[in-house]
Amino acid sequence: AVAAMLALASLGLVVVYVAEPGLAYSFADGRSRLLDSWSARAGLDLAVLLPSSVRLRPATLWFPLAATTLLFASWPWRRSAPSAGDTPGAHRSASSRALFAGATALACALLALPALAASLTSRSIEIESPSVRKTGGHPDPDPWMFDRRRFPEAWMLPEGESAKARVRAGGDLAVLRVAARAILNHPGPLELQLGCGDRLLVRLPFDQHETWVEREAGPVPWEPGCELVARVASDHGRPEGVSNGLSIDRIELQWR
């Protein structure tokens, strides 16, 4: 039964990968197209619960420990030594049950991933995540950039564009901290506006070209259920075809 189930799952993956080969690959930034598609549909940052060698997060540490614990808990060799009356078939049956239990636990963990992500208090918003809805811009650097660990994971948001992210509040007040790099192509001002839904909370100026800086504001009142909106203010006096932009690494929220 276990072999048939695994064979059927393998056949399904073969069909999916033949129809859409890009799903079988991971990008140089540590993300996968399959997980990104799932995150975009769910509107949740599922990657934050999985380990990454590019952007270190708590899951990078606890995921291997949890996987190792599950392995030893379901490993059939931990069972008692066989007695004289046992048959080889009984041991094969015990091994199959252990394998089935491990596969079931893994499947349940994957199915519970969206619910777990939705229940977590929002602490850090990664703008490049597909769960964040952007009106424009592009990843910075490119997803296939070699050795991405040398660069902050960011999203380049030009003037006039915005990004919206679901937020699960952990309090009535929030301190907002933004890590970003300004790209100044003309002398006009560059300002990041952060809001709780349609309500503008803070305006953060950025005037240091090609320099990573952190700006902090708050605490500001936060209404439960509203989205975090980040918008780069548009300078209507800029030259035709030239715009500034803000490469945003992350937006952190500290609740009070």
Side-chain angles (χ1 to χ4, degrees):
V2 173
M5 181 184 67
L6 294 177
L8 185 62
S10 300
L11 180 61
L13 285 176
V14 169
V15 173
V16 170
Y17 290 155
V18 168
E20 192 65 45
L23 296 178
Y25 294 93
S26 293
F27 298 113
D29 59 2
R31 310 186 72 92
S32 70
R33 184 172 174 183
L34 186 59
L35 185 61
D36 283 354
S37 300
W38 194 9
S39 297
R41 289 179 178 273
L44 300 168
D45 188 5
L46 304 179
V48 74
L49 297 174
L50 299 175
S52 172
S53 60
V54 178
R55 183 190 284 273
L56 297 182
R57 51 174 62 105
T60 306
L61 301 177
W62 64 255
F63 190 92
L65 296 177
T68 303
T69 302
L70 177 62
L71 174 65
F72 280 103
S74 61
W75 195 254
W77 291 356
R78 295 184 68 253
R79 288 164 167 46
S80 58
S83 61
D86 288 343
T87 62
H91 292 293
R92 286 196 298 269
S93 178
S95 299
S96 298
R97 286 196 299 269
L99 179 59
F100 182 77
T104 302
L106 181 59
C108 291
L110 290 175
L111 292 176
L113 203 60
L116 181 57
S119 66
L120 294 178
T121 299
S122 301
R123 305 288 183 185
S124 180
I125 305 297
E126 300 176 4
I127 303 299
E128 77 279 1
S129 171
S131 62
V132 179
R133 306 190 308 278
K134 281 86 64 174
T135 60
H138 56 83
D140 181 27
D142 181 80
W144 293 107
M145 174 67 70
F146 179 74
D147 194 6
R148 285 291 292 262
R149 289 172 293 182
R150 296 186 295 117
F151 308 94
E153 292 295 302
W155 183 272
M156 179 61 185
L157 204 61
E159 286 180 298
E161 305 296 345
S162 63
K164 297 181 179 180
R166 292 175 57 177
V167 170
R168 183 177 177 84
D172 297 327
L173 298 174
V175 176
L176 305 174
R177 183 179 293 111
V178 181
R181 176 174 60 102
I183 307 298
L184 303 176
N185 296 316
H186 65 83
L190 184 61
E191 180 183 82
L192 178 65
Q193 300 174 352
L194 298 177
C196 178
D198 296 330
R199 182 166 56 90
L200 179 63
L201 296 177
V202 295
R203 301 173 183 266
L204 300 175
F206 288 85
D207 53 10
Q208 301 181 42
H209 180 60
E210 292 283 0
T211 303
W212 286 102
V213 296
E214 289 191 358
R215 295 280 190 268
E216 183 177 306
V220 294
W222 191 272
E223 297 178 5
C226 70
E227 293 183 314
L228 172 67
V229 179
R231 178 179 292 105
V232 179
S234 177
D235 181 13
H236 297 289
R238 67 176 184 265
E240 183 68 26
V242 179
S243 65
N244 293 333
L246 200 60
S247 185
I248 306 175
D249 177 25
R250 66 189 183 279
I251 301 177
E252 297 177 349
L253 302 98
Q254 295 181 350
W255 302 100
R256 297 182 183 179

